[in-house]
Amino acid sequence: MEDRHIAIFASGNGTNAENLIRYFGSRELGWKVSVVVCNRADAGVLDRARRLGVPSVVMPKASFADRDALAKVMDTYAVDAVVLAGFLLMIPLWLIARYPRSIINIHPSLLPKYGGRGMYGRHVHEAVVAAGERESGITVHLVNETVDGGAILFQAATALTAEDTPADVEAKIHQLEQRYFPQVVAATLAPSLVAMPASPQ
């Protein structure tokens, strides 16, 4: 049976994207990463994809908003599921409808805390520190029409201290992302082959 195809949408350095590519490339799960879609031509994720032999497509905001252009990319790479790995553009409603329960996102907080518009990357960690939180974490969820509002698939928490800076929180969150994200995606797409990890909470 031929593999089914994952598109990774990413905007930044691409550590999560690389982790996903390596995970699916080293296992027989019936899925593989077939393309990386990025909205920034200078993003580090493009170099990572190139080194790993995965095609990439640069789609600035205007191109990404062009339904025909984006649909052509999805069709060209026979995409069956989409994984967002630090992607900063809104996913169009037509794409959500095209891939029901097949668009997966990771968010760097314990949703519903610190989610919604403007809450991404360092902004989340700064808000967590400013609020004096004693834990944060990751949430892997399905994408729907509400920002960070889709069904939660998995959460993992990490303890914070009063001395933690936003950079410290970011480092702790990154460890959780690297440990859990690929397995959660695999457990969602290939549940008969991969078990959902146990939450460390």
Side-chain angles (χ1 to χ4, degrees), residues 20-86:
L20 287 160
I21 293 167
R22 291 187 182 279
Y23 184 96
F24 282 93
S26 64
R27 293 161 174 81
E28 294 294 332
L29 299 175
W31 290 84
K32 71 173 185 177
V33 177
S34 61
V35 65
V36 170
V37 175
C38 182
N39 60 302
R40 292 177 46 222
D42 61 345
V45 69
L46 298 173
D47 291 329
R48 293 178 187 272
R50 184 161 41 250
R51 288 199 305 270
L52 294 167
V54 174
S56 59
V57 178
V58 176
M59 301 193 76
K61 188 174 183 178
S63 299
F64 188 78
D66 182 330
R67 178 168 179 163
D68 290 340
L70 182 54
K72 182 178 180 180
V73 172
M74 298 293 102
D75 292 341
T76 297
Y77 293 96
V79 173
D80 298 293
V82 177
V83 179
L84 311 182

Side-chain angles (χ1 to χ4, degrees), residues 48-176:
R48 293 178 187 272
R50 184 161 41 250
R51 288 199 305 270
L52 294 167
V54 174
S56 59
V57 178
V58 176
M59 301 193 76
K61 188 174 183 178
S63 299
F64 188 78
D66 182 330
R67 178 168 179 163
D68 290 340
L70 182 54
K72 182 178 180 180
V73 172
M74 298 293 102
D75 292 341
T76 297
Y77 293 96
V79 173
D80 298 293
V82 177
V83 179
L84 311 182
F87 190 63
L88 300 183
L89 298 183
M90 291 289 293
I91 304 303
L93 294 180
W94 70 264
L95 195 70
I96 295 171
R98 177 170 172 169
Y99 296 101
R101 298 187 64 82
S102 296
I103 304 180
I104 302 168
N105 183 45
I106 188 165
H107 185 79
S109 76
L110 296 170
L111 293 174
K113 287 187 172 184
Y114 306 104
R117 291 181 182 276
M119 283 288 102
Y120 61 89
R122 184 62 66 89
H123 298 291
V124 174
H125 309 316
E126 290 172 348
V128 165
V129 170
E133 296 282 0
R134 287 298 168 262
E135 72 170 7
S136 190
I138 60 170
T139 302
V140 183
H141 65 94
L142 297 175
V143 173
N144 66 9
E145 65 279 359
T146 302
V147 178
D148 297 328
I152 291 174
L153 301 170
F154 176 84
Q155 290 185 307
T158 184
L160 305 179
T161 72
E163 290 73 36
D164 280 337
T165 66
D168 295 328
V169 178
E170 183 175 33
K172 291 181 177 183
I173 296 304
H174 183 67
Q175 288 184 339
L176 294 178

